[in-house]
Amino acid sequence: METGRKQRRHYSDVLEHLKTYFPSPVSDPILDGYFVHSISRFLDQVDSLKSARPLLSGGIKNTHYEASQQAVFPEPISSIEEITGLLADYCQGMTIWAHPNAQLNVTPLSTISSITAFIAAAIYNPNIVSDEYSGRFTEAEIESVAMLSDLIGYDPQQSGGLFTFGGTGTLLYGCKLGIDKALGGRSLLDGIREDVKIFSSDVAHYSHLTVAAWLGLGMKNLIAIPSTSNNEMSLSAL
């Protein structure tokens, strides 16, 4: 190499370095320990942000957004330690929903088991569309659907269901299935070629509007039905 020019690393050396950024695919005491240490370090850094306030560290400042608009793609590869610290910093201002001093929106808490399940899914990235790519995660989905069906009185042998990306996704699937059923299955091939309306109560979540827009119906085709003092849809008004 010429003097003054940056020495180029062999691709095999770069590859070995990149491997340390991923969980080891085989049992490796050193890399496995590093993986556990990295997660533990992140939890320690986030724990240091906790206080008597129901927020992690301080609140969100407008200057944060101003700085975000000036962000540029980094040239060198950051280390795991640098990214871990950065992730902990991004947690600043987050509400601790389980905090005894938190009096905000009712938000479900994450259990240790659900966090562990999320870690498992993040590591092995199961694709539930196929048994070959999801292992027993597909089995877990079927079991969960059967349990919920039995809980609300449906026949687990006849009912079906699937996991979605949240409440909006659930409504999206429900409305899409309803449209397919109302149109005799024609929308699957022909698309929606008829005037279709969605009915919901006037106190329903705003995600109904999102679903109407996503399905191409338009938010004006969402009909809000007045609700009672118990926040139930008025059947007489319907």
Side-chain angles (χ1 to χ4, degrees):
M1 287 293 180
E2 296 179 9
T3 304
R5 295 185 62 182
K6 185 176 181 180
Q7 185 176 2
R8 300 182 62 182
R9 300 170 60 188
H10 194 271
Y11 84 92
S12 59
D13 296 330
V14 177
L15 179 60
E16 289 302 315
H17 177 65
L18 287 177
K19 287 181 179 180
T20 63
Y21 285 72
F22 300 86
S24 176
V26 297
S27 180
D28 187 313
I30 296 179
L31 291 181
D32 291 344
Y34 178 62
F35 173 62
V36 173
H37 170 74
S38 298
I39 295 179
S40 178
R41 177 180 173 82
F42 167 75
L43 295 177
D44 288 340
Q45 290 176 320
V46 173
D47 190 66
S48 66
L49 301 177
K50 296 178 181 178
S51 65
R53 301 178 61 189
L55 298 173
L56 289 176
S57 187
I60 300 297
K61 301 179 181 179
N62 293 332
T63 53
H64 292 175
Y65 298 112
E66 295 174 359
S68 299
Q69 295 176 328
Q70 302 174 9
V72 295
F73 201 86
E75 181 66 26
I77 298 178
S78 301
S79 67
I80 295 295
E81 288 74 19
E82 290 172 332
I83 294 298
T84 299
L86 184 63
L87 291 175
D89 288 339
Y90 278 120
C91 289
Q92 294 188 52
M94 277 297 303
T95 301
I96 307 175
W97 303 113
H99 199 285
N101 294 329
Q103 299 182 25
L104 295 174
N105 189 23
V106 179
T107 303
L109 309 178
S110 300
T111 64
I112 296 177
S113 298
S114 65
I115 295 173
T116 305
F118 187 86
I119 292 176
I123 295 176
Y124 298 107
N125 195 19
N127 188 344
I128 305 184
V129 75
S130 173
D131 292 341
E132 288 79 7
Y133 298 126
S134 58
R136 295 190 64 190
F137 280 84
T138 306
E139 180 182 338
E141 182 183 47
I142 297 174
E143 291 174 341
S144 299
V145 171
M147 292 177 186
L148 292 174
S149 298
D150 180 67
L151 184 65
I152 62 178
Y154 289 172
D155 183 356
Q157 298 296 326
Q158 298 295 326
S159 61
L162 70 162
F163 288 1
T164 73
F165 53 87
T168 304
T170 301
L171 288 172
L172 178 66
Y173 273 99
C175 290
K176 183 65 172 65
L177 291 173
I179 291 173
D180 289 343
K181 184 176 181 179
L183 299 181
R186 297 189 302 276
S187 63
L188 182 63
L189 295 177
D190 301 333
I192 302 174
R193 296 294 182 265
E194 303 177 36
D195 192 16
V196 178
K197 308 289 184 181
I198 296 178
F199 294 91
S200 68
S201 73
D202 58 356
V203 293
H205 196 268
Y206 62 83
S207 55
H208 285 79
L209 295 169
T210 303
V211 169
W214 283 357
L215 291 175
L217 301 180
M219 293 186 288
K220 290 184 177 180
N221 283 316
L222 177 66
I223 309 301
I225 306 301
S227 55
T228 67
S229 58
N230 293 327
N231 288 329
E232 298 172 343
M233 184 184 293
S234 172
L235 294 181
S236 60
L238 177 62

